[in-house]
Amino acid sequence: MSKQEDKQSQATGEDIKKEVLENSAKDLEHLSQEVGGENASKLKQQRDDFEDKYLRAAAEIQNMNAHFKKERADLLHYDGQKVITDILPVLDNLERALQTEVTDDGAQQLKKGVEMVYEHLNKALQDANVTEIKSLGVKFDPTVHQAVQTVPADKDHPKDTVVKVLQRGYKLHERVLRPAMVVVSN
Protein backbone atom coordinates (compact mmCIF):
# COMPACT_ATOMS: atom_id res chain seq x y z
CA MET A 1 0.00 0.00 0.00
CA SER A 2 1.46 3.42 -0.95
CA LYS A 3 1.91 6.13 1.64
CA GLN A 4 -0.77 8.21 -0.07
CA GLU A 5 -3.29 5.35 0.02
CA ASP A 6 -2.42 4.72 3.67
CA LYS A 7 -2.96 8.40 4.53
CA GLN A 8 -6.26 8.42 2.63
CA SER A 9 -7.37 5.29 4.45
CA GLN A 10 -6.46 6.79 7.82
CA ALA A 11 -8.17 10.06 6.92
CA THR A 12 -11.31 8.19 5.87
CA GLY A 13 -11.31 6.26 9.14
CA GLU A 14 -10.86 9.47 11.15
CA ASP A 15 -13.66 11.18 9.19
CA ILE A 16 -16.00 8.25 9.86
CA LYS A 17 -15.14 8.25 13.56
CA LYS A 18 -15.65 12.01 13.83
CA GLU A 19 -19.01 11.82 12.04
CA VAL A 20 -20.22 8.94 14.22
CA LEU A 21 -19.26 10.77 17.41
CA GLU A 22 -20.94 14.01 16.30
CA ASN A 23 -24.13 12.23 15.25
CA SER A 24 -24.18 10.15 18.43
CA ALA A 25 -23.80 13.21 20.61
CA LYS A 26 -26.63 14.99 18.80
CA ASP A 27 -28.88 11.92 19.02
CA LEU A 28 -28.11 11.47 22.71
CA GLU A 29 -28.89 15.08 23.51
CA HIS A 30 -32.16 14.87 21.61
CA LEU A 31 -33.20 11.59 23.30
CA SER A 32 -32.19 12.84 26.74
CA GLN A 33 -34.54 15.75 26.36
CA GLU A 34 -37.38 13.48 25.25
CA VAL A 35 -36.91 10.60 27.69
CA GLY A 36 -35.00 11.97 30.70
CA GLY A 37 -33.74 10.19 33.85
CA GLU A 38 -32.97 6.49 34.06
CA ASN A 39 -34.05 5.64 30.54
CA ALA A 40 -31.61 8.21 29.21
CA SER A 41 -28.66 6.46 30.90
CA LYS A 42 -29.77 3.10 29.43
CA LEU A 43 -30.04 4.68 26.00
CA LYS A 44 -26.64 6.30 26.46
CA GLN A 45 -25.11 2.90 27.32
CA GLN A 46 -26.76 1.29 24.28
CA ARG A 47 -25.54 4.11 22.08
CA ASP A 48 -21.99 3.70 23.43
CA ASP A 49 -22.14 -0.04 22.77
CA PHE A 50 -23.36 0.45 19.20
CA GLU A 51 -20.77 3.15 18.60
CA ASP A 52 -18.02 0.85 19.84
CA LYS A 53 -19.23 -2.00 17.61
CA TYR A 54 -19.42 0.32 14.63
CA LEU A 55 -15.92 1.69 15.14
CA ARG A 56 -14.52 -1.82 15.56
CA ALA A 57 -16.23 -2.94 12.35
CA ALA A 58 -14.88 0.09 10.47
CA ALA A 59 -11.35 -0.66 11.72
CA GLU A 60 -11.72 -4.31 10.71
CA ILE A 61 -12.76 -3.28 7.20
CA GLN A 62 -9.71 -1.03 6.92
CA ASN A 63 -7.46 -3.89 8.05
CA MET A 64 -9.03 -6.27 5.55
CA ASN A 65 -8.57 -3.77 2.71
CA ALA A 66 -4.89 -3.33 3.61
CA HIS A 67 -4.43 -7.12 3.76
CA PHE A 68 -6.10 -7.64 0.36
CA LYS A 69 -3.96 -4.92 -1.24
CA LYS A 70 -0.80 -6.57 0.09
CA GLU A 71 -1.93 -10.01 -1.16
CA ARG A 72 -2.71 -8.58 -4.59
CA ALA A 73 0.74 -6.93 -4.75
CA ASP A 74 2.41 -10.24 -3.79
CA LEU A 75 0.44 -12.12 -6.46
CA LEU A 76 1.54 -9.65 -9.11
CA HIS A 77 5.13 -9.74 -7.85
CA TYR A 78 5.36 -13.55 -8.10
CA ASP A 79 3.09 -13.93 -11.12
CA GLY A 80 4.00 -16.96 -13.21
CA GLN A 81 5.93 -18.82 -10.50
CA LYS A 82 4.22 -22.14 -11.27
CA VAL A 83 4.89 -21.93 -15.01
CA ILE A 84 8.51 -20.95 -14.44
CA THR A 85 9.02 -23.84 -12.02
CA ASP A 86 7.62 -26.21 -14.65
CA ILE A 87 10.01 -24.79 -17.30
CA LEU A 88 13.21 -25.30 -15.28
CA PRO A 89 13.51 -29.05 -16.09
CA VAL A 90 13.20 -28.16 -19.79
CA LEU A 91 16.12 -25.75 -19.37
CA ASP A 92 18.12 -28.54 -17.68
CA ASN A 93 17.42 -30.93 -20.57
CA LEU A 94 18.47 -28.32 -23.13
CA GLU A 95 21.75 -27.83 -21.22
CA ARG A 96 22.37 -31.59 -21.29
CA ALA A 97 21.64 -31.71 -25.02
CA LEU A 98 24.15 -28.92 -25.63
CA GLN A 99 26.86 -30.88 -23.78
CA THR A 100 26.61 -33.69 -26.32
CA GLU A 101 29.46 -33.91 -28.85
CA VAL A 102 28.34 -34.02 -32.48
CA THR A 103 30.36 -34.77 -35.60
CA ASP A 104 28.18 -34.68 -38.71
CA ASP A 105 26.60 -31.61 -40.31
CA GLY A 106 22.99 -32.61 -39.61
CA ALA A 107 23.69 -33.04 -35.92
CA GLN A 108 25.59 -29.72 -35.91
CA GLN A 109 22.52 -27.97 -37.33
CA LEU A 110 20.28 -29.64 -34.79
CA LYS A 111 22.60 -28.62 -31.95
CA LYS A 112 22.62 -25.03 -33.25
CA GLY A 113 18.80 -25.03 -33.16
CA VAL A 114 18.78 -26.38 -29.59
CA GLU A 115 21.29 -23.67 -28.63
CA MET A 116 19.01 -20.97 -30.05
CA VAL A 117 16.02 -22.34 -28.11
CA TYR A 118 18.15 -22.47 -24.96
CA GLU A 119 19.26 -18.84 -25.39
CA HIS A 120 15.69 -17.64 -26.03
CA LEU A 121 14.41 -19.52 -22.98
CA ASN A 122 17.20 -18.07 -20.82
CA LYS A 123 16.37 -14.56 -22.06
CA ALA A 124 12.66 -15.05 -21.31
CA LEU A 125 13.48 -16.21 -17.78
CA GLN A 126 15.76 -13.21 -17.22
CA ASP A 127 13.01 -10.89 -18.45
CA ALA A 128 10.68 -12.53 -15.90
CA ASN A 129 13.23 -11.69 -13.12
CA VAL A 130 14.40 -15.28 -12.72
CA THR A 131 18.05 -15.43 -11.68
CA GLU A 132 20.45 -18.31 -11.22
CA ILE A 133 21.65 -18.92 -7.68
CA LYS A 134 25.43 -18.47 -7.63
CA SER A 135 26.85 -21.63 -6.10
CA LEU A 136 30.25 -22.83 -7.29
CA GLY A 137 33.00 -21.82 -4.88
CA VAL A 138 30.69 -20.02 -2.42
CA LYS A 139 29.95 -20.90 1.18
CA PHE A 140 27.17 -23.48 1.51
CA ASP A 141 23.84 -21.83 2.37
CA PRO A 142 21.01 -24.26 3.21
CA THR A 143 18.38 -21.68 2.25
CA VAL A 144 19.49 -21.74 -1.41
CA HIS A 145 21.55 -24.94 -1.69
CA GLN A 146 20.68 -28.60 -1.29
CA ALA A 147 23.72 -30.69 -0.40
CA VAL A 148 23.47 -34.12 -2.00
CA GLN A 149 27.05 -35.19 -1.40
CA THR A 150 30.09 -34.18 0.65
CA VAL A 151 33.80 -34.48 -0.10
CA PRO A 152 36.78 -33.92 2.19
CA ALA A 153 37.94 -30.29 2.47
CA ASP A 154 41.36 -29.46 1.00
CA LYS A 155 43.51 -26.38 0.42
CA ASP A 156 41.52 -25.40 -2.70
CA HIS A 157 38.12 -26.01 -1.11
CA PRO A 158 37.76 -24.89 2.53
CA LYS A 159 35.17 -26.53 4.77
CA ASP A 160 31.49 -25.79 3.90
CA THR A 161 32.29 -24.60 0.37
CA VAL A 162 30.37 -25.66 -2.72
CA VAL A 163 32.76 -27.80 -4.79
CA LYS A 164 30.45 -28.85 -7.64
CA VAL A 165 26.98 -27.93 -8.89
CA LEU A 166 24.92 -30.93 -9.97
CA GLN A 167 21.78 -28.96 -10.82
CA ARG A 168 21.45 -25.18 -11.01
CA GLY A 169 19.16 -23.38 -8.60
CA TYR A 170 16.94 -20.41 -9.45
CA LYS A 171 15.17 -17.52 -7.73
CA LEU A 172 12.21 -15.40 -8.74
CA HIS A 173 12.97 -12.01 -7.23
CA GLU A 174 14.06 -13.01 -3.70
CA ARG A 175 12.02 -16.26 -3.53
CA VAL A 176 13.81 -19.56 -4.18
CA LEU A 177 12.08 -21.48 -6.96
CA ARG A 178 14.47 -24.41 -6.82
CA PRO A 179 17.56 -24.79 -4.63
CA ALA A 180 20.85 -25.67 -6.30
CA MET A 181 21.84 -29.33 -5.86
CA VAL A 182 25.49 -29.23 -4.83
CA VAL A 183 28.50 -31.15 -3.57
CA VAL A 184 29.98 -29.56 -0.43
CA SER A 185 33.42 -29.86 1.14
CA ASN A 186 33.35 -31.13 4.70
Side-chain angles (χ1 to χ4, degrees), residues 20-157:
V20 166
L21 292 174
E22 287 174 0
N23 289 340
S24 296
K26 289 176 188 175
D27 291 344
L28 180 63
E29 187 178 317
H30 177 68
L31 287 172
S32 294
Q33 290 173 355
E34 286 182 15
V35 177
E38 190 176 305
N39 288 337
S41 65
K42 286 182 182 177
L43 287 174
K44 181 178 180 185
Q45 181 60 43
Q46 284 180 339
R47 183 219 42 164
D48 290 345
D49 291 344
F50 284 126
E51 180 181 319
D52 182 58
K53 288 178 184 176
Y54 175 79
L55 292 175
R56 286 179 189 270
E60 181 65 24
I61 289 170
Q62 282 182 315
N63 290 340
M64 286 173 48
N65 282 335
H67 177 73
F68 290 141
K69 285 180 184 176
K70 183 183 180 313
E71 270 188 12
R72 187 176 27 224
D74 282 349
L75 284 173
L76 290 174
H77 192 66
Y78 295 109
D79 187 33
Q81 178 176 336
K82 170 85 171 92
V83 171
I84 293 168
T85 303
D86 291 344
I87 288 175
L88 294 179
V90 174
L91 190 66
D92 295 337
N93 289 332
L94 290 173
E95 287 174 2
R96 283 187 207 99
L98 291 174
Q99 291 172 356
T100 305
E101 292 295 323
V102 293
T103 53
D104 65 57
D105 287 341
Q108 291 271 348
Q109 291 292 330
L110 183 61
K111 187 172 181 177
K112 182 69 176 169
V114 170
E115 188 175 322
M116 290 172 57
V117 171
Y118 176 77
E119 289 172 7
H120 280 86
L121 187 56
N122 249 339
K123 174 78 169 98
L125 290 173
Q126 287 173 358
D127 291 346
N129 296 309
V130 175
T131 55
E132 182 183 343
I133 297 170
K134 301 300 177 200
S135 300
L136 190 60
V138 301
K139 184 167 176 56
F140 175 74
D141 179 358
T143 61
V144 295
H145 299 127
Q146 178 181 354
V148 294
Q149 184 179 353
T150 59
V151 294
D154 58 26
K155 64 179 182 166
D156 294 332
H157 302 103

Side-chain angles (χ1 to χ4, degrees), residues 135 144-148 162 164-169 178-183:
S135 300
V144 295
H145 299 127
Q146 178 181 354
V148 294
V162 175
K164 185 176 182 182
V165 178
L166 300 176
Q167 184 180 52
R168 295 180 186 192
R178 180 178 80 184
M181 290 175 51
V182 297
V183 177

